[in-house]
Amino acid sequence: MDMIEVNGVTKRYGKKSAVDNLTFNATKGEILGFLGPNGAGKTTTMRMITGFIPPTAGSIRVDGIDVVENPMAVSRKIGYLPEDAPLYPEMTVADFLDFMAEMKEIKGKGRRREIDRVVARLELGPVYRRLVGNCSLGYRHRIGLAQALLGDPEILILDEPTSGLDPRQRLEIRDLIRDLAGRRTVILSSHVLPEVQQTCERVVIINEGRLVAEDTPSGLAARLQGQSILRIQVRAPVEDTLRLLEDLPGIVAVKRDADGRNAGPPSFTVEMEPNRDLREDIFFRFAESNLPILEMTPVGFSLEDIFLQLITEDPERAQEDRREVIPS
Amino acid sequence: MRKIWIVAKRELMTYLQTPMAYALMAGFLMITGYFFSMSLLGSRAASVQSMLGNAGLILVFVAPILTMRLLADEDRQGTSEILFTTPVSVGQVVVGKFAGALMIMTALLLIMLVFPLVVDQFGNPDWGVVLSGYFGFWLMMTAFLAAGVFTSSLTDSQLVAGVAGVALLLLLWVIDWAAGSLGAPIGPILARLSITNHFVEFNRGIIDTKNIVFYLSLTFGFLFLGTRIVESRRWR
């Protein structure tokens, strides 16, 4: 069942489109990664899903309820961590969480319990009586997250939940989000790719407000597996290796890797034509010449490679981007 | 109603935990105390009329400084994003914030009752006139605070909100000056708009419904405008 349906949504500020005809969905219990470079429209989209700003065109449904028509009902289902976790600096952590819990209509004894739960879950005990404004950035971010988790909402919208955290805290947040998998629907945005790769079941990539790709992390990788790349290490003179490889039909390019990582015979990166597996051909060719292959590894694409490739796929736009970088 | 109270309670707590409200209240009491002593020494009359009349002008400055933070800061800090994504309407937030400020100022006005109590020790003030004056002052304060909430909705800068609030109230304070020279039909309308004229009658001991209605409609009008502006900022 679709928990969140974003349907042909456009958001324009004046003439500029921040989000342009975007369509995707998130099913119940899914952890969806929302990926894109800075300024791609991630934050704008998340604000529209939470009902904070209305779309210029298109519709958003949360658990079947239209966000624009019934924002109150939608806000009861969503826990939201905005970008940079804005908080009231002049309140103590205790007062702040109590205020947010009251606003979220958590009443009576349940409120105390809920606050204790999120304080324990995010380890806010040491700063509980402190002013929010005096807490470190890492704590402030966790306070923001604690606020979003209050009331155990069905849906969590987390805008850059791990930015500004140290690696250990990042790991903890990642565990926390993974804990929610299956029970709660989570959309989290990031421009840190391994983050998404490790926590999300499905990834939506947007660039300049438009959908670029939507798939599982491994599905995205498979989609681009077409151009296979091998790393190969042979005990042989460099010239011989280069000659043998370049002669082989189906090989696009051979590049000698920079030495340094490990001493010993040089290694090479071999790019093959799309959808051709030449590993056996390479093996026999070197075997015929009595040159032993020490290592041959298919190089998998990281999400990072895919991401870069997807957003620069349009060569014209890539050109434009480059031109923008050079100050005129 | 519950949501309004939650928002109001938070604003009240913030006022009580930060120095701004204390500084404003202390300053206000100091200046009104000075007005009170001077009029008492000068006229030797058992009344607080002159003190209340002058205090109105100080309120023109104090009310917008107290309210300038209310909506402007939510936008500047980005906290409007967590606030308005909870199940609450813009109207509830605006009214709640206004109510928080009104509670603080009402407390201040109650403290100011010390002046007639002092007079009462040594003379016989007309308590009817005193209470009518204080009631009128409270109504005027309500309208001033609503105007301050309104200017706070216009911008995300506290300073701009405060300056705009003072300017708006000063204009309403002196607007009837033009009445004499303009003549009908504009003149009488401007005279009616003056926020001081309506208070003068309360301060003389006359409680007239048309004056109550004036301040209440000003309050509702400003709060309504403030709500609309906060809503429209997000629709842009």
Side-chain angles (χ1 to χ4, degrees):
Chain A
M1 197 193 94
D2 280 345
M3 204 62 177
I4 296 166
E5 301 160 65
V6 175
N7 214 328
V9 164
T10 297
K11 179 71 189 180
R12 265 189 291 273
Y13 291 106
K15 272 192 180 150
K16 194 182 160 290
S17 290
V19 173
D20 190 7
N21 198 15
L22 188 63
T23 300
F24 67 90
N25 55 28
T27 53
K28 199 175 163 81
E30 181 178 42
I31 299 183
L32 182 72
F34 202 44
L35 215 60
N38 288 327
K42 300 189 295 281
T43 297
T44 306
T45 307
M46 291 183 131
R47 281 179 172 170
M48 287 192 287
I49 295 172
T50 58
F52 181 65
I53 53 172
T56 312
S59 74
I60 299 172
R61 284 174 167 277
V62 173
D63 201 9
I65 306 164
D66 191 287
V67 172
V68 176
E69 277 168 22
N70 199 345
M72 287 275 205
V74 168
S75 64
R76 286 192 178 93
K77 293 177 181 292
I78 293 182
Y80 177 37
L81 170 72
E83 198 177 17
D84 301 328
L87 309 165
Y88 296 105
E90 74 282 356
M91 295 178 97
T92 65
V93 177
D95 287 342
F96 172 71
L97 290 177
D98 193 58
F99 169 69
M100 289 309 290
E102 271 197 280
M103 290 302 282
K104 290 176 185 216
E105 302 172 351
I106 306 165
K107 295 190 180 106
K109 279 203 184 117
R111 192 159 80 228
R112 186 73 257 150
R113 240 196 340 266
E114 260 310 285
I115 293 171
D116 288 345
R117 184 182 70 89
V118 297
V119 166
R121 192 69 189 81
L122 289 149
E123 294 167 28
L124 296 175
V127 295
Y128 190 60
R129 296 272 160 217
R130 220 184 275 174
L131 287 183
V132 168
N134 292 343
C135 291
S136 68
L137 192 66
Y139 268 121
R140 274 199 298 240
H141 219 92
R142 275 145 69 187
I143 296 162
L145 208 53
Q147 164 276 124
L149 290 172
L150 278 172
D152 202 10
E154 285 172 73
I155 299 163
L156 283 160
I157 309 282
L158 310 174
D159 200 349
E160 307 261 0
T162 55
S163 78
L165 298 182
D166 64 40
R168 193 184 60 89
Q169 294 166 337
R170 232 172 243 197
L171 215 68
E172 284 167 8
I173 301 297
R174 214 177 288 158
D175 283 346
L176 186 145
I177 293 168
R178 253 184 304 203
D179 262 9
L180 296 165
R183 291 193 307 120
R184 298 288 176 247
T185 310
V186 182
I187 297 188
L188 68 93
S189 78
S190 185
H191 61 270
V192 186
L193 304 153
E195 205 62 64
V196 168
Q197 209 160 11
Q198 284 159 11
T199 37
C200 298
E201 291 146 17
R202 212 153 55 84
V203 182
V204 167
I205 299 181
I206 66 167
N207 188 37
E208 296 184 353
R210 271 184 290 250
L211 187 78
V212 179
E214 182 185 0
D215 211 334
T216 59
S218 52
L220 279 174
R223 196 191 289 193
L224 288 150
Q225 211 66 28
Q227 303 153 303
S228 328
I229 290 178
L230 289 177
R231 223 174 65 83
I232 184 168
Q233 195 179 30
V234 188
R235 193 182 297 286
V238 175
E239 310 80 59
D240 289 351
T241 315
L242 281 174
R243 182 173 47 79
L244 285 172
L245 282 172
E246 274 163 359
D247 281 357
L248 205 66
I251 289 204
V252 180
V254 181
K255 204 177 89 226
R256 191 185 159 182
D257 293 344
D259 290 323
R261 195 155 65 92
N262 46 356
S267 61
F268 300 84
T269 303
V270 182
E271 195 184 330
M272 297 174 290
E273 274 178 11
N275 300 318
R276 279 186 74 172
D277 192 351
L278 296 169
R279 279 179 294 182
E280 286 179 26
D281 298 337
I282 292 169
F283 171 79
F284 285 120
R285 175 151 268 216
F286 281 94
E288 277 162 22
S289 318
N290 268 332
L291 297 169
I293 294 175
L294 301 177
E295 187 192 332
M296 182 151 65
T297 326
V299 178
F301 276 96
S302 71
L303 209 48
E304 198 130 3
D305 303 318
I306 300 164
F307 183 52
L308 279 174
Q309 196 154 352
L310 281 170
I311 65 173
T312 50
E313 219 159 46
D314 187 348
E316 230 168 84
R317 192 173 315 148
Q319 203 85 51
E320 272 170 37
D321 286 348
R322 229 161 283 142
R323 237 177 283 140
E324 271 168 28
V325 173
I326 303 161
S328 48
Chain B
M1 207 52 204
R2 207 184 138 65
K3 292 282 166 59
I4 294 175
W5 166 239
I6 299 168
V7 173
K9 201 173 58 179
R10 197 192 80 80
E11 293 305 336
L12 193 62
M13 255 166 45
T14 305
Y15 279 133
L16 293 177
Q17 288 166 358
T18 52
M20 175 63 107
Y22 292 110
L24 279 177
M25 286 168 85
F28 193 80
L29 286 172
M30 199 174 74
I31 296 171
T32 50
Y34 172 75
F35 288 156
F36 172 69
S37 331
M38 289 307 109
S39 84
L40 204 61
L41 290 174
S43 70
R44 311 226 163 239
S47 105
V48 290
Q49 279 179 347
S50 133
M51 182 276 293
L52 274 185
N54 291 328
L57 185 61
I58 307 306
L59 194 66
V60 164
F61 297 92
V62 168
I65 295 175
L66 193 76
T67 54
M68 65 186 185
R69 176 181 63 81
L70 291 175
L71 292 164
D73 230 26
E74 293 280 351
D75 269 351
R76 196 188 50 79
Q77 287 177 166
T79 40
S80 53
E81 219 168 322
I82 52 171
L83 184 62
F84 287 120
T85 49
T86 61
V88 69
S89 71
V90 175
Q92 286 169 327
V93 169
V94 170
V95 173
K97 283 174 175 288
F98 160 77
L102 185 61
M103 281 190 274
I104 276 286
M105 288 303 275
T106 304
L108 179 68
L109 196 64
L110 291 177
I111 296 172
M112 278 169 64
L113 279 172
V114 77
F115 300 136
L117 285 173
V118 167
V119 174
D120 199 45
Q121 295 292 309
F122 307 103
N124 287 310
D126 183 342
W127 275 96
V129 175
V130 168
L131 292 179
S132 153
Y134 270 72
F135 177 58
F137 196 83
W138 184 80
L139 279 175
M140 185 164 71
M141 199 162 79
T142 305
F144 281 21
L145 292 173
V149 169
F150 161 69
T151 56
S152 185
S153 74
L154 296 170
T155 164
D156 60 6
S157 152
Q158 287 194 38
L159 193 67
V160 173
V163 170
V166 171
L168 174 66
L169 290 179
L170 270 180
L171 183 70
L172 287 175
W173 189 266
V174 299
I175 202 160
D176 62 322
W177 293 4
S181 46
L182 282 175
I186 301 165
I189 296 175
L190 291 184
R192 287 275 165 77
L193 275 176
S194 160
I195 38 177
T196 38
N197 287 353
H198 296 266
F199 170 64
V200 169
E201 289 192 22
F202 283 107
N203 211 9
R204 285 188 195 128
I206 307 158
I207 297 181
D208 189 337
T209 16
K210 82 165 194 283
N211 294 326
I212 299 177
V213 168
F214 172 78
Y215 285 123
L216 289 185
S217 31
L218 214 57
T219 305
F220 282 119
F222 279 131
L223 291 181
F224 177 76
L225 281 178
T227 304
R228 273 297 135 99
I229 283 163
V230 173
E231 277 168 357
S232 75
R233 277 162 79 88
R234 281 155 59 199
W235 279 88
R236 234 174 285 153

